[in-house]
Amino acid sequence: MSAEAQWSREADHVSDEYEAFAILLESLRKIDELRTTMQRFSVHPSSALAGDDLATPFESLSSQVETCIQGVFDNVGALSSLVLDASVLPAFAHFGLLRNSLEMVGTGFWLIGPKLRDTRVLRSLQVALEGHRDSVVASNELARKPSKVSIDDAVVLMLEEQRDARPGIEGRSLNAPSISSRLRAAQEFCSEQPYTILGFWRVTSGAMHGRRSVLKDLLDHEVLESNGAEVRTSMTSGVTVVANILRHIEVYLFELVFLLLRRAGHN
């Protein structure tokens, strides 16, 4: 390769990195503004979400979805500090924050997306039981006690009672499906983008664990670019990868918040 061609290639790379960084900064700005909007969130008494909450009194559906959204804000805020304050982009740390954000936004869609209240309530109860079991098991493990949750556990019995109060889901399993199943199902409730929530979740999971084959794919892959509510940029390395994934998270997060607001009676 001639010196002139090499210089041109390096100049294009620098230009792409600047463009990607501009996209990243814009996504961070928009998500921060959305955080301010969510500080005023409330559930109107006559809304569909209020009815969901009445059916899930132990751990209300609205609080579960709001926790998912706040979790995305928290992870993106940490990502902002990590990327903007670092002189060198970390090799792996940012992928954990992106993965968490994807999982939380997908879980939010999975919970609130279905049109039928029975489905939303069942999923809410499943997530509540999963969280309770995780807490009990973790506490028992730390205390070196048997980790299994008792079948006569008070919370388990309470959630089963709430489930059986609705004939449409009476007796249904309260075991939640896998995270990957939830994220795959979540895609039904949001717009089509070049990459799915599950696809990026798998990629960031692999990168977070330092799997070299996944990292190689990240560096070699192509696609994307930003246009209104759609994502279309190109994926190479460094800040470009982060910008692409974050841009998807931004689009999906706005859609999730708007869906939550509609369910909560905000027109």
Side-chain angles (χ1 to χ4, degrees), residues 151-226:
I151 59 174
D152 60 354
D153 180 277
V155 173
V156 174
L157 296 177
M158 180 193 309
L159 293 173
E160 290 176 344
E161 183 179 352
Q162 292 176 16
R163 172 201 63 192
D164 293 341
R166 304 189 66 81
I169 58 175
E170 184 178 3
R172 295 279 296 277
S173 174
L174 289 183
N175 293 324
S178 67
I179 295 294
S180 58
S181 296
R182 289 177 236 181
L183 300 187
R184 182 180 293 108
Q187 204 66 42
E188 173 186 348
F189 310 113
C190 50
S191 65
E192 182 178 347
Q193 300 295 333
Y195 294 102
T196 64
I197 296 172
L198 177 59
F200 263 145
W201 180 82
R202 290 193 188 282
V203 167
T204 52
S205 293
M208 183 187 70
H209 290 103
R211 293 172 184 157
R212 296 176 65 84
S213 59
V214 175
L215 290 169
K216 180 178 181 297
D217 287 342
L218 276 174
L219 297 179
D220 291 346
H221 208 49
E222 275 186 29
V223 186
L224 304 194
E225 167 185 298
S226 175

Side-chain angles (χ1 to χ4, degrees), residues 30-31 47 58 63 83 93 99 116 118 121 134 143 157 166 168 177 181 199 206 213 247:
K30 289 181 178 179
I31 292 173
S47 67
F58 173 70
S63 68
V83 172
R99 176 186 181 273
L116 296 178
D118 277 349
V121 168
D134 286 349
L157 296 177
R166 304 189 66 81
S181 296
S213 59
R247 180 70 175 110

